[in-house]
Amino acid sequence: MSTVETDVQQAVEDAAAHLYVWALKDIPQDLRDALADASGKETSVPGQRVLQTILKNVQVAERENNLVCQDTGIAVYYCRVGEHFPLHPARIYQALYDGTMRATLDHPLRSNTVHTLTRENTGPNVGYRVPIVHWDFVADWNGLDVKCVPKGSGSENMSFLKMCVPADGVKGIKQFVLESIVGAGGKPCPPGIVGVGIGGSADYAMHLAKEAIARPVGTRNPDPEVAKLEDELFQLLNETGIGPMGLGGDVTVLQCHIEHADTHMTLNPVAVNYQCWAARRATAHIAADGTTDFDREA
């Protein structure tokens, strides 16, 4: 058993090392399509120039096997762990930590992680509670899915939370999201993906907003009422005229995604998390024997 666990732990480490670099270099096809679609809709000259530059940047990064952005972000992993997967979550976390560190040193990548007070660098994109890992456990399954979503500070700085009250209703949610994005302007490198988290508690709403940006562009929430709100916000946000990089135009966001949870009868927390145009993500599916399949579009 110890031999098997060691092999599987190495497979998870190898997957993390690959995912982190891959996500930083090669953005998914759905995002490429959304950017191309945006360029077809944008009528302003500055906005069109920005979008053409972004599209060229993506092509150059692919051709030169290089990063799409110099900000390598904080490595954030979403793990779906089967109850029969033969590696304890503590070992999974260690493998993700080691893989992140290895990728940073081997590539090499810019190391961003610092102590939150002294601002001293804590290592090759690792540190206390970094990388950040979110867990979801699945019954009657023996696999592991790992999604890496590197998040840079330009977009992460444009994160907002409001403790709405039930009386605010859907109108209050729309108003808060609109005010957040208008206030952010060009700072988060638009056009990007607006993630909205509604419900739960204050901390969980922000988690849901971050989860929302990690979905493929244009997917819709399975709840029809939530999906309707996604469509409405997407249209409203693009009517703000902020445009690419905040220079004015027709395309301010590529999409708006919402995740939600039930909440307390006197609560309605709403969180906004912005993802820049380089909405980087990459996924690995790891079997119980350590066999790994990489998935660009998940």
Side-chain angles (χ1 to χ4, degrees):
M1 178 60 70
S2 61
T3 301
V4 172
E5 287 193 352
T6 300
D7 291 342
V8 175
Q9 184 166 340
Q10 186 63 54
V12 176
E13 179 185 327
D14 292 343
H18 179 72
L19 287 174
Y20 188 24
V21 177
W22 190 30
L24 294 169
K25 287 184 173 183
D26 182 16
I27 64 175
Q29 188 60 47
D30 58 271
L31 181 62
R32 294 169 184 253
D33 292 342
L35 288 167
D37 183 61
S39 71
K41 295 177 178 177
E42 184 56 64
T43 59
S44 81
V45 173
Q48 188 61 237
R49 286 175 178 170
V50 167
L51 288 168
Q52 291 304 319
T53 300
I54 288 173
L55 289 167
K56 183 177 180 181
N57 183 86
V58 173
Q59 295 170 357
V60 171
E62 182 176 30
R63 185 173 67 244
E64 302 294 335
N65 191 30
N66 213 329
L67 310 184
V68 296
C69 178
Q70 87 285 353
D71 188 345
T72 54
I74 288 182
V76 179
Y77 296 96
Y78 292 85
C79 292
R80 295 179 66 253
V81 188
E83 67 170 319
H84 303 304
F85 188 71
L87 198 63
H88 189 277
R91 299 292 182 186
I92 295 173
Y93 184 87
Q94 187 62 53
L96 298 175
Y97 183 101
D98 293 342
T100 302
M101 179 167 55
R102 199 177 92 199
T104 303
L105 294 172
D106 289 354
H107 186 267
L109 301 174
R110 191 179 84 179
S111 184
N112 306 301
T113 310
V114 300
H115 186 282
T116 191
L117 297 181
T118 67
R119 313 308 292 180
E120 293 181 5
N121 196 281
T122 58
N125 280 316
V126 295
Y128 181 58
R129 294 178 172 171
V130 177
I132 297 167
V133 181
H134 300 287
W135 304 94
D136 187 19
F137 297 96
V138 183
D140 299 322
W141 186 47
N142 65 353
L144 168 67
D145 289 343
V146 179
K147 179 184 286 189
C148 180
V149 184
K151 190 72 158 56
S153 71
S155 57
E156 188 71 357
N157 277 332
M158 297 298 103
S159 302
F160 308 93
L161 173 69
K162 182 177 181 179
M163 302 305 292
C164 293
V165 296
D168 293 332
V170 176
K171 180 181 178 182
I173 295 172
K174 292 179 182 178
Q175 183 175 340
F176 173 62
V177 175
L178 280 166
E179 289 175 349
S180 298
I181 300 308
V182 170
K187 295 176 183 177
C189 297
I193 300 170
V194 174
V196 181
I198 306 173
S201 56
D203 58 318
Y204 199 56
M206 187 55 74
H207 166 70
L208 292 171
K210 178 69 72 69
E211 192 174 87
I213 66 164
R215 282 168 29 193
V217 180
T219 53
R220 283 291 171 253
N221 192 290
D223 185 310
E225 291 298 317
V226 179
K228 178 183 176 183
L229 183 57
E230 288 178 323
D231 288 335
E232 291 174 351
L233 280 172
F234 176 51
Q235 181 176 344
L236 288 170
L237 290 167
N238 277 322
E239 290 175 0
T240 61
I242 295 169
M245 294 298 165
L247 298 177
D250 307 294
V251 183
T252 296
V253 300
L254 298 175
Q255 260 305 332
C256 178
H257 296 161
I258 302 174
E259 293 294 331
H260 69 113
D262 292 341
T263 190
H264 189 279
M265 66 175 71
T266 64
L267 279 177
N268 201 25
V270 182
V272 175
N273 188 259
Y274 199 100
Q275 177 65 302
C276 68
W277 67 264
R280 301 167 294 187
R281 70 178 197 273
T283 299
H285 308 287
I286 304 171
D289 63 359
T291 302
T292 304
D293 292 319
F294 292 98
D295 189 347
R296 159 50 67 226
E297 305 307 324

